[in-house]
Amino acid sequence: MLVEQNVALQSHNSFGIVAKARALVRVRGQSDVQQLLADPQWQDIPKFVLGGGSNIVLTGDVKPLVLKVEVPGRRLLDDGARAWVVEAGAGESWHDFVGWTLEHGFAGLENLALIPGSVGASPVQNIGAYGVELQDRFDSLDAIDLHSGKAFTLDAGQCAFGYRDSIFKHMAAKEGDFGLAGRALILRVRFRLPKPWKPVLGYLDLARKMHDSGIREPNARQIYDWVCAIRTAKLPDPAVIGNAGSFFKNPTVTPEQCQDIIAREPNIVHYPMPDGSVKLAAGWLIDACGWKGKSVGNAGVYEKQALVLVNRGGATGGEVVTLARAIQTSVYERFGIRLEPEPVVV
Ligand code: EPU
């Protein structure tokens, strides 16, 4: 186990913010963590788990010991009558993993193509796009408790998935309480891809692709290609323009609140949800406040999608946070809605 000192993190966060880790350990498996926790020099030091870095805003050097998750591996575990079960190491790139499943004929993750980040971060966020959420394809995961060093397995129910939410985003107030934020390091994730495969095509952008191409029964590879094309047209590539995907969650309101807003803003984009609430498009709210293309210092609002904040080159985490707060204030003042950020500010 090698502890590296003063490691540059710019290439380890998708915003491309310049910051350093005072100390960093690369985790390739359970034994790396157990060794670290057995070492008196490191066992009581605060730790920060870093995956693909696609959902963080670094506002300075990271003082806790950074555990950079690099657990490798992709394999088919079961090819049963009702599903394929596939497993990937937490350090694998999410998009490469989706590509690998399709190359081997295991369909089901195609709507989630091109989401930045690692396999290990996918359940934390319960990533979702174009009508599919990770929880719809999740089987179980293996993780390690950073306090006790014990390995454990969680099923979907135990992960308590919600919209861009899971048990890994909640802090336990005391021992035994709900919440694993800062406490668990995910090692491997397993996915259950149901058979027979059924395409998910309800999302407006995909329906448009079907209509324009004239393809009535697309296969999984075709949907993957469409999703990649839609995302590439709308969202900036983090390798070119630093960003963390959607910066805010889409807020939900009651039907009464929505009617009240529609009376003032007849064009507001809104979607009735199965539970009776109404989801609003945060991108539309931000756009309506005139933020598209605006900047604070070197942090800006992406020209083609107002929900995405970008690093225009040399942005600090402070600039990103200042911009995000200014957006929250103007959306609140105009619509009375508080936008909740998706990324974690470190
Ligand atoms: N809109 C605007 N102006 C904008 C942006 C959006 O008017 O600048 C309107 C669009 O016209 C559309 C609506 O808002 O009617 C929704 O936009 P879009 O279809 O682009 O989806 P989104 O709600 O902005 C969500 C996810 C994305 C995911 C897409 C596709 C969240 C926070 N974001 O975005 O996820 O890719 O749907 O399913 O739920 C991410 O989480 O990082 C992410 C990119």
Side-chain angles (χ1 to χ4, degrees):
M1 183 195 67
L2 174 72
V3 179
E4 300 165 51
Q5 310 285 337
N6 288 320
V7 181
L9 294 177
Q10 189 177 11
S11 61
H12 295 305
N13 73 100
S14 64
F15 253 119
I17 290 168
V18 175
K20 277 192 199 133
R22 291 200 179 159
L24 179 144
V25 173
R26 293 171 198 275
V27 173
R28 290 184 61 84
Q30 186 173 328
S31 62
D32 289 333
V33 183
Q34 279 161 343
Q35 240 181 323
L36 191 78
L37 297 177
D39 186 332
Q41 191 189 348
W42 299 109
Q43 59 194 185
D44 296 324
I45 303 270
K47 297 174 187 69
F48 176 74
V49 178
L50 179 61
S54 60
N55 205 44
I56 54 170
V57 182
L58 297 174
T59 55
D61 289 346
V62 181
K63 291 174 196 79
L65 171 63
V66 173
L67 306 185
K68 175 79 181 79
V69 182
E70 296 187 351
V71 182
R74 304 184 284 220
R75 60 185 178 144
L76 175 69
L77 289 181
D78 190 27
D79 189 359
R82 295 171 63 182
W84 295 281
V85 180
V86 284
E87 181 185 77
E92 295 287 340
S93 137
W94 172 262
H95 178 66
D96 291 351
F97 171 60
V98 172
W100 176 87
T101 57
L102 292 174
E103 271 159 36
H104 289 78
F106 319 140
L109 296 177
E110 55 283 348
N111 293 50
L112 302 176
L114 223 53
I115 295 182
S118 60
V119 167
S122 65
V124 177
Q125 274 284 92
N126 184 20
I127 56 173
Y130 308 103
V132 176
E133 272 188 326
L134 177 112
Q135 64 177 340
D136 306 327
R137 303 284 181 267
F138 181 85
D139 177 77
S140 55
L141 60 79
D142 300 331
I144 187 154
D145 184 323
L146 294 175
H147 294 183
S148 67
K150 282 200 188 116
F152 59 95
T153 296
L154 297 183
D155 63 20
Q158 290 167 313
C159 288
F161 291 122
Y163 168 57
R164 296 295 191 279
D165 196 30
S166 73
I167 192 167
F168 301 102
K169 289 185 96 172
H170 294 264
M171 201 78 87
K174 58 177 177 8
E175 200 72 16
D177 270 5
F178 173 86
L180 287 172
R183 169 141 198 188
L185 184 146
I186 297 169
L187 293 162
R188 277 174 298 274
V189 188
R190 286 172 290 277
F191 302 88
R192 176 171 296 275
L193 311 179
K195 291 183 193 174
W197 171 77
K198 284 197 207 81
V200 179
L201 295 163
Y203 204 89
L204 190 65
D205 285 341
L206 284 175
R208 225 178 258 146
K209 286 275 182 202
M210 270 211 326
H211 179 263
D212 294 350
S213 66
I215 299 173
R216 303 280 298 272
E217 289 184 10
N219 60 23
R221 189 79 212 184
Q222 180 64 70
I223 297 171
Y224 170 92
D225 289 341
W226 283 341
V227 169
C228 289
I230 295 164
R231 292 189 75 97
T232 309
K234 253 192 208 181
L235 300 169
D237 175 358
V240 183
I241 305 172
N243 74 89
S246 300
F247 199 91
F248 299 100
K249 294 184 187 182
N250 285 328
T252 45
V253 294
T254 63
E256 295 73 32
Q257 278 173 303
C258 189
Q259 280 314 319
D260 184 45
I261 301 173
I262 289 172
R264 287 179 282 130
E265 312 274 350
N267 298 326
I268 193 162
V269 175
H270 60 286
Y271 313 95
M273 301 301 286
D275 67 0
S277 66
V278 182
K279 188 170 261 189
L280 304 177
W284 188 93
L285 300 173
I286 298 166
D287 200 356
C289 292
W291 279 102
K292 217 180 231 176
K294 295 272 168 67
S295 298
V296 165
N298 293 319
V301 180
Y302 192 52
E303 283 70 12
K304 295 183 208 162
Q305 220 309 3
L307 194 48
V308 179
L309 304 192
V310 294
N311 179 354
R312 300 205 191 279
T316 62
E319 287 172 335
V320 174
V321 171
T322 306
L323 174 60
R325 289 210 182 115
I327 291 170
Q328 283 172 308
T329 303
S330 55
V331 168
Y332 184 72
E333 283 173 355
R334 172 147 172 205
F335 299 102
I337 290 164
R338 290 187 198 281
L339 291 182
E340 196 187 323
E342 263 199 44
V344 178
V345 176
V346 183

mmCIF file with all atom_site columns, all heavy atoms in Angstrom, residues 55-69:
data_model
loop_
_atom_site.group_PDB
_atom_site.id
_atom_site.type_symbol
_atom_site.label_atom_id
_atom_site.label_alt_id
_atom_site.label_comp_id
_atom_site.label_asym_id
_atom_site.label_entity_id
_atom_site.label_seq_id
_atom_site.pdbx_PDB_ins_code
_atom_site.Cartn_x
_atom_site.Cartn_y
_atom_site.Cartn_z
_atom_site.occupancy
_atom_site.B_iso_or_equiv
_atom_site.pdbx_formal_charge
_atom_site.auth_seq_id
_atom_site.auth_comp_id
_atom_site.auth_asym_id
_atom_site.auth_atom_id
_atom_site.pdbx_PDB_model_num
ATOM 1   N N   . ASN A 1 55 ? -19.021 14.160 -9.713 1.00 0.00 ? 55 ASN A N   1
ATOM 2   C CA  . ASN A 1 55 ? -20.132 14.774 -8.983 1.00 0.00 ? 55 ASN A CA  1
ATOM 3   C C   . ASN A 1 55 ? -19.632 15.561 -7.770 1.00 0.00 ? 55 ASN A C   1
ATOM 4   O O   . ASN A 1 55 ? -20.286 15.583 -6.730 1.00 0.00 ? 55 ASN A O   1
ATOM 5   C CB  . ASN A 1 55 ? -21.119 13.674 -8.558 1.00 0.00 ? 55 ASN A CB  1
ATOM 6   C CG  . ASN A 1 55 ? -22.496 14.225 -8.370 1.00 0.00 ? 55 ASN A CG  1
ATOM 7   O OD1 . ASN A 1 55 ? -22.971 15.006 -9.193 1.00 0.00 ? 55 ASN A OD1 1
ATOM 8   N ND2 . ASN A 1 55 ? -23.130 13.856 -7.269 1.00 0.00 ? 55 ASN A ND2 1
ATOM 9   N N   . ILE A 1 56 ? -18.455 16.193 -7.920 1.00 0.00 ? 56 ILE A N   1
ATOM 10  C CA  . ILE A 1 56 ? -17.903 16.974 -6.809 1.00 0.00 ? 56 ILE A CA  1
ATOM 11  C C   . ILE A 1 56 ? -17.451 18.351 -7.287 1.00 0.00 ? 56 ILE A C   1
ATOM 12  O O   . ILE A 1 56 ? -17.108 18.530 -8.457 1.00 0.00 ? 56 ILE A O   1
ATOM 13  C CB  . ILE A 1 56 ? -16.701 16.257 -6.136 1.00 0.00 ? 56 ILE A CB  1
ATOM 14  C CG1 . ILE A 1 56 ? -15.623 15.876 -7.170 1.00 0.00 ? 56 ILE A CG1 1
ATOM 15  C CG2 . ILE A 1 56 ? -17.140 15.052 -5.351 1.00 0.00 ? 56 ILE A CG2 1
ATOM 16  C CD1 . ILE A 1 56 ? -14.325 15.396 -6.532 1.00 0.00 ? 56 ILE A CD1 1
ATOM 17  N N   . VAL A 1 57 ? -17.485 19.298 -6.351 1.00 0.00 ? 57 VAL A N   1
ATOM 18  C CA  . VAL A 1 57 ? -16.906 20.626 -6.598 1.00 0.00 ? 57 VAL A CA  1
ATOM 19  C C   . VAL A 1 57 ? -15.823 20.806 -5.538 1.00 0.00 ? 57 VAL A C   1
ATOM 20  O O   . VAL A 1 57 ? -16.119 20.845 -4.340 1.00 0.00 ? 57 VAL A O   1
ATOM 21  C CB  . VAL A 1 57 ? -17.962 21.744 -6.433 1.00 0.00 ? 57 VAL A CB  1
ATOM 22  C CG1 . VAL A 1 57 ? -17.338 23.095 -6.740 1.00 0.00 ? 57 VAL A CG1 1
ATOM 23  C CG2 . VAL A 1 57 ? -19.170 21.500 -7.317 1.00 0.00 ? 57 VAL A CG2 1
ATOM 24  N N   . LEU A 1 58 ? -14.573 20.882 -5.968 1.00 0.00 ? 58 LEU A N   1
ATOM 25  C CA  . LEU A 1 58 ? -13.465 21.035 -5.013 1.00 0.00 ? 58 LEU A CA  1
ATOM 26  C C   . LEU A 1 58 ? -13.246 22.523 -4.747 1.00 0.00 ? 58 LEU A C   1
ATOM 27  O O   . LEU A 1 58 ? -12.991 23.290 -5.669 1.00 0.00 ? 58 LEU A O   1
ATOM 28  C CB  . LEU A 1 58 ? -12.186 20.411 -5.594 1.00 0.00 ? 58 LEU A CB  1
ATOM 29  C CG  . LEU A 1 58 ? -12.231 18.903 -5.846 1.00 0.00 ? 58 LEU A CG  1
ATOM 30  C CD1 . LEU A 1 58 ? -10.968 18.440 -6.563 1.00 0.00 ? 58 LEU A CD1 1
ATOM 31  C CD2 . LEU A 1 58 ? -12.392 18.141 -4.532 1.00 0.00 ? 58 LEU A CD2 1
ATOM 32  N N   . THR A 1 59 ? -13.356 22.932 -3.480 1.00 0.00 ? 59 THR A N   1
ATOM 33  C CA  . THR A 1 59 ? -13.188 24.354 -3.152 1.00 0.00 ? 59 THR A CA  1
ATOM 34  C C   . THR A 1 59 ? -11.825 24.640 -2.517 1.00 0.00 ? 59 THR A C   1
ATOM 35  O O   . THR A 1 59 ? -11.587 25.725 -2.024 1.00 0.00 ? 59 THR A O   1
ATOM 36  C CB  . THR A 1 59 ? -14.310 24.827 -2.202 1.00 0.00 ? 59 THR A CB  1
ATOM 37  O OG1 . THR A 1 59 ? -14.312 23.960 -1.070 1.00 0.00 ? 59 THR A OG1 1
ATOM 38  C CG2 . THR A 1 59 ? -15.667 24.792 -2.877 1.00 0.00 ? 59 THR A CG2 1
ATOM 39  N N   . GLY A 1 60 ? -10.946 23.655 -2.532 1.00 0.00 ? 60 GLY A N   1
ATOM 40  C CA  . GLY A 1 60 ? -9.602  23.840 -1.985 1.00 0.00 ? 60 GLY A CA  1
ATOM 41  C C   . GLY A 1 60 ? -8.914  22.491 -1.946 1.00 0.00 ? 60 GLY A C   1
ATOM 42  O O   . GLY A 1 60 ? -9.472  21.495 -2.444 1.00 0.00 ? 60 GLY A O   1
ATOM 43  N N   . ASP A 1 61 ? -7.712  22.449 -1.384 1.00 0.00 ? 61 ASP A N   1
ATOM 44  C CA  . ASP A 1 61 ? -7.025  21.163 -1.270 1.00 0.00 ? 61 ASP A CA  1
ATOM 45  C C   . ASP A 1 61 ? -7.818  20.249 -0.330 1.00 0.00 ? 61 ASP A C   1
ATOM 46  O O   . ASP A 1 61 ? -8.469  20.722 0.608  1.00 0.00 ? 61 ASP A O   1
ATOM 47  C CB  . ASP A 1 61 ? -5.603  21.382 -0.738 1.00 0.00 ? 61 ASP A CB  1
ATOM 48  C CG  . ASP A 1 61 ? -4.724  22.051 -1.791 1.00 0.00 ? 61 ASP A CG  1
ATOM 49  O OD1 . ASP A 1 61 ? -5.142  22.093 -2.979 1.00 0.00 ? 61 ASP A OD1 1
ATOM 50  O OD2 . ASP A 1 61 ? -3.642  22.554 -1.441 1.00 0.00 ? 61 ASP A OD2 1
ATOM 51  N N   . VAL A 1 62 ? -7.757  18.957 -0.611 1.00 0.00 ? 62 VAL A N   1
ATOM 52  C CA  . VAL A 1 62 ? -8.531  18.004 0.198  1.00 0.00 ? 62 VAL A CA  1
ATOM 53  C C   . VAL A 1 62 ? -7.661  17.534 1.352  1.00 0.00 ? 62 VAL A C   1
ATOM 54  O O   . VAL A 1 62 ? -6.601  16.934 1.137  1.00 0.00 ? 62 VAL A O   1
ATOM 55  C CB  . VAL A 1 62 ? -9.012  16.811 -0.679 1.00 0.00 ? 62 VAL A CB  1
ATOM 56  C CG1 . VAL A 1 62 ? -9.838  15.840 0.152  1.00 0.00 ? 62 VAL A CG1 1
ATOM 57  C CG2 . VAL A 1 62 ? -9.828  17.317 -1.865 1.00 0.00 ? 62 VAL A CG2 1
ATOM 58  N N   . LYS A 1 63 ? -8.119  17.818 2.575  1.00 0.00 ? 63 LYS A N   1
ATOM 59  C CA  . LYS A 1 63 ? -7.304  17.496 3.759  1.00 0.00 ? 63 LYS A CA  1
ATOM 60  C C   . LYS A 1 63 ? -7.431  16.044 4.206  1.00 0.00 ? 63 LYS A C   1
ATOM 61  O O   . LYS A 1 63 ? -6.440  15.438 4.591  1.00 0.00 ? 63 LYS A O   1
ATOM 62  C CB  . LYS A 1 63 ? -7.634  18.460 4.895  1.00 0.00 ? 63 LYS A CB  1
ATOM 63  C CG  . LYS A 1 63 ? -7.146  19.860 4.549  1.00 0.00 ? 63 LYS A CG  1
ATOM 64  C CD  . LYS A 1 63 ? -7.557  20.898 5.573  1.00 0.00 ? 63 LYS A CD  1
ATOM 65  C CE  . LYS A 1 63 ? -7.404  22.289 4.990  1.00 0.00 ? 63 LYS A CE  1
ATOM 66  N NZ  . LYS A 1 63 ? -8.510  22.665 4.084  1.00 0.00 ? 63 LYS A NZ  1
ATOM 67  N N   . PRO A 1 64 ? -8.651  15.469 4.159  1.00 0.00 ? 64 PRO A N   1
ATOM 68  C CA  . PRO A 1 64 ? -8.719  14.049 4.545  1.00 0.00 ? 64 PRO A CA  1
ATOM 69  C C   . PRO A 1 64 ? -7.899  13.184 3.589  1.00 0.00 ? 64 PRO A C   1
ATOM 70  O O   . PRO A 1 64 ? -7.603  13.599 2.463  1.00 0.00 ? 64 PRO A O   1
ATOM 71  C CB  . PRO A 1 64 ? -10.212 13.716 4.402  1.00 0.00 ? 64 PRO A CB  1
ATOM 72  C CG  . PRO A 1 64 ? -10.927 15.019 4.390  1.00 0.00 ? 64 PRO A CG  1
ATOM 73  C CD  . PRO A 1 64 ? -9.968  16.023 3.818  1.00 0.00 ? 64 PRO A CD  1
ATOM 74  N N   . LEU A 1 65 ? -7.563  11.984 4.032  1.00 0.00 ? 65 LEU A N   1
ATOM 75  C CA  . LEU A 1 65 ? -6.847  11.031 3.175  1.00 0.00 ? 65 LEU A CA  1
ATOM 76  C C   . LEU A 1 65 ? -7.796  10.598 2.047  1.00 0.00 ? 65 LEU A C   1
ATOM 77  O O   . LEU A 1 65 ? -8.908  10.111 2.302  1.00 0.00 ? 65 LEU A O   1
ATOM 78  C CB  . LEU A 1 65 ? -6.439  9.815  4.021  1.00 0.00 ? 65 LEU A CB  1
ATOM 79  C CG  . LEU A 1 65 ? -5.870  8.626  3.261  1.00 0.00 ? 65 LEU A CG  1
ATOM 80  C CD1 . LEU A 1 65 ? -4.565  8.987  2.550  1.00 0.00 ? 65 LEU A CD1 1
ATOM 81  C CD2 . LEU A 1 65 ? -5.634  7.454  4.219  1.00 0.00 ? 65 LEU A CD2 1
ATOM 82  N N   . VAL A 1 66 ? -7.368  10.805 0.801  1.00 0.00 ? 66 VAL A N   1
ATOM 83  C CA  . VAL A 1 66 ? -8.227  10.460 -0.339 1.00 0.00 ? 66 VAL A CA  1
ATOM 84  C C   . VAL A 1 66 ? -8.052  8.984  -0.697 1.00 0.00 ? 66 VAL A C   1
ATOM 85  O O   . VAL A 1 66 ? -6.930  8.520  -0.905 1.00 0.00 ? 66 VAL A O   1
ATOM 86  C CB  . VAL A 1 66 ? -7.900  11.346 -1.567 1.00 0.00 ? 66 VAL A CB  1
ATOM 87  C CG1 . VAL A 1 66 ? -8.673  10.877 -2.799 1.00 0.00 ? 66 VAL A CG1 1
ATOM 88  C CG2 . VAL A 1 66 ? -8.214  12.812 -1.263 1.00 0.00 ? 66 VAL A CG2 1
ATOM 89  N N   . LEU A 1 67 ? -9.167  8.254  -0.740 1.00 0.00 ? 67 LEU A N   1
ATOM 90  C CA  . LEU A 1 67 ? -9.144  6.866  -1.188 1.00 0.00 ? 67 LEU A CA  1
ATOM 91  C C   . LEU A 1 67 ? -9.651  6.865  -2.621 1.00 0.00 ? 67 LEU A C   1
ATOM 92  O O   . LEU A 1 67 ? -10.843 7.076  -2.868 1.00 0.00 ? 67 LEU A O   1
ATOM 93  C CB  . LEU A 1 67 ? -10.037 5.986  -0.308 1.00 0.00 ? 67 LEU A CB  1
ATOM 94  C CG  . LEU A 1 67 ? -9.761  6.036  1.197  1.00 0.00 ? 67 LEU A CG  1
ATOM 95  C CD1 . LEU A 1 67 ? -10.642 5.036  1.931  1.00 0.00 ? 67 LEU A CD1 1
ATOM 96  C CD2 . LEU A 1 67 ? -8.303  5.729  1.486  1.00 0.00 ? 67 LEU A CD2 1
ATOM 97  N N   . LYS A 1 68 ? -8.739  6.721  -3.562 1.00 0.00 ? 68 LYS A N   1
ATOM 98  C CA  . LYS A 1 68 ? -9.106  6.764  -4.979 1.00 0.00 ? 68 LYS A CA  1
ATOM 99  C C   . LYS A 1 68 ? -9.486  5.347  -5.397 1.00 0.00 ? 68 LYS A C   1
ATOM 100 O O   . LYS A 1 68 ? -8.643  4.445  -5.400 1.00 0.00 ? 68 LYS A O   1
ATOM 101 C CB  . LYS A 1 68 ? -7.911  7.293  -5.781 1.00 0.00 ? 68 LYS A CB  1
ATOM 102 C CG  . LYS A 1 68 ? -8.104  7.282  -7.279 1.00 0.00 ? 68 LYS A CG  1
ATOM 103 C CD  . LYS A 1 68 ? -8.949  8.476  -7.718 1.00 0.00 ? 68 LYS A CD  1
ATOM 104 C CE  . LYS A 1 68 ? -9.196  8.495  -9.219 1.00 0.00 ? 68 LYS A CE  1
ATOM 105 N NZ  . LYS A 1 68 ? -10.235 7.585  -9.666 1.00 0.00 ? 68 LYS A NZ  1
ATOM 106 N N   . VAL A 1 69 ? -10.771 5.153  -5.729 1.00 0.00 ? 69 VAL A N   1
ATOM 107 C CA  . VAL A 1 69 ? -11.264 3.800  -5.995 1.00 0.00 ? 69 VAL A CA  1
ATOM 108 C C   . VAL A 1 69 ? -10.886 3.370  -7.412 1.00 0.00 ? 69 VAL A C   1
ATOM 109 O O   . VAL A 1 69 ? -11.291 4.003  -8.386 1.00 0.00 ? 69 VAL A O   1
ATOM 110 C CB  . VAL A 1 69 ? -12.797 3.736  -5.802 1.00 0.00 ? 69 VAL A CB  1
ATOM 111 C CG1 . VAL A 1 69 ? -13.297 2.315  -6.020 1.00 0.00 ? 69 VAL A CG1 1
ATOM 112 C CG2 . VAL A 1 69 ? -13.182 4.221  -4.412 1.00 0.00 ? 69 VAL A CG2 1
#
